[in-house]
Amino acid sequence: MNLRRIFLSLTAIFACTAAMASDGDKVIKGFSGGMMVHTGYQFGGDNPYGLNFSNATFGIGGCAKLRFTEHFRTGFEGYFSIAPTKRGVESGSHNKLFWTGALADWIWQTGKFYPYVGATVGGGMETALYMFEGDKHDWIPEGNAVLNKKPFFAFDPFVGVEYAVGKALRLTLKADWMIAINSDGLNRPQGPRIYFGFIFAH
C-alpha cells in the first residue's frame, strides 16, 4: 500500500470538493492537509516469548481535513511507525504499525497560533519480526525468526497546535497516544508520539 498515493488522492478529492462549494452559503468553510514525521517511546509487547520492549519509534504519514464550522473539522489521516527491538533478539527485529482512520477535531485561533484537540477512529495492522539469531545484512536464510501480523481497531486521541508562517502554509506540532485493540485485548507495544510537519490550509 502506497501511503503517499493515498494522501495525494485524498488531498485532490477534498480540494476539488472545497473548490466546488459556492461562495454564498457554502457548507465547506475550508480545507487543510499535509505531511508529518514523528518519533516517540514505545513499551510492552504481545508475544509468547515474554519479550518486553522499550525503545524509540519513528515514522511518517499525513492528514487531510475539511472545515465545516469556525471550529470543527473532519477528515482522514494515516501513518506507519516502526520501533526497533533489541532486547532478547538480534538487530533487525522490529514492531511496525500501520493505521488509518476518520478524524474529527476542534480548532481555535490565537494570533498566528491554531491550537486543536481531537481523535481518530480507524484500524491498522501490526507487523512483528523477531530474529533470534542471524544477521539482517546477509542473504543467508534465517533459521530462527518469527513473523506475525495482526489487525487492530484504533482509537487515537491527540492534541496539537498549528503556526501560520504564511497565508496558506502552517507548521504543526502534535502529540498522541494510540489505543489499539486486537483480538486478544489491548495491543502493545504502546506509548506517546510527537509529530512535526507542515500543513497547507485554505
Side-chain angles (χ1 to χ4, degrees):
M1 183 176 294
N2 191 316
L3 189 61
R4 183 178 179 182
R5 290 182 181 178
I6 292 174
F7 287 110
L8 287 176
S9 300
L10 288 173
T11 300
I13 292 171
F14 285 176
C16 291
T17 305
M20 289 187 295
S22 64
D23 291 331
D25 298 328
K26 58 184 180 181
V27 175
I28 300 171
K29 309 298 184 183
F31 162 81
S32 62
M35 303 292 291
M36 285 172 272
V37 296
H38 64 259
T39 186
Y41 179 76
Q42 300 292 286
F43 58 90
D46 293 331
N47 57 79
Y49 308 102
L51 300 174
N52 188 7
F53 302 111
S54 299
N55 213 340
T57 186
F58 306 93
I60 191 171
C63 65
K65 305 177 184 180
L66 296 176
R67 183 167 60 87
F68 289 93
T69 71
E70 182 180 357
H71 300 291
F72 177 71
R73 303 183 299 184
T74 186
F76 297 90
E77 68 176 357
Y79 302 91
F80 76 84
S81 186
I82 185 167
T85 56
K86 297 180 180 179
R87 294 189 176 186
V89 291
E90 298 297 322
S91 176
S93 301
H94 61 263
N95 276 81
K96 181 169 66 176
L97 298 180
F98 168 79
W99 73 98
T100 186
L103 66 84
D105 68 13
W106 286 260
I107 188 169
W108 299 266
Q109 181 178 2
T110 304
K112 291 187 175 183
F113 291 92
Y114 295 80
Y116 59 90
V117 60
T120 298
V121 176
M125 181 73 69
E126 177 191 15
T127 302
L129 174 63
Y130 302 151
M131 294 173 53
F132 295 95
E133 61 183 18
D135 188 342
K136 68 176 181 179
H137 298 293
D138 61 30
W139 288 96
I140 300 174
E142 309 299 345
N144 193 2
V146 175
L147 174 66
N148 181 268
K149 300 183 74 171
K150 181 173 292 187
F152 59 83
F153 166 81
F155 174 70
D156 189 22
F158 56 80
V159 61
V161 62
E162 297 174 3
Y163 175 77
V165 295
K167 185 176 181 180
L169 179 63
R170 301 176 186 175
L171 301 179
T172 186
L173 183 67
K174 184 181 83 166
D176 76 347
W177 188 306
M178 184 173 62
I179 301 170
I181 301 173
N182 59 35
S183 58
D184 297 322
L186 188 63
N187 190 81
R188 300 179 303 166
Q190 61 174 307
R193 293 181 177 85
I194 300 294
Y195 301 72
F196 176 77
F198 61 89
I199 299 293
F200 293 103
H202 171 72

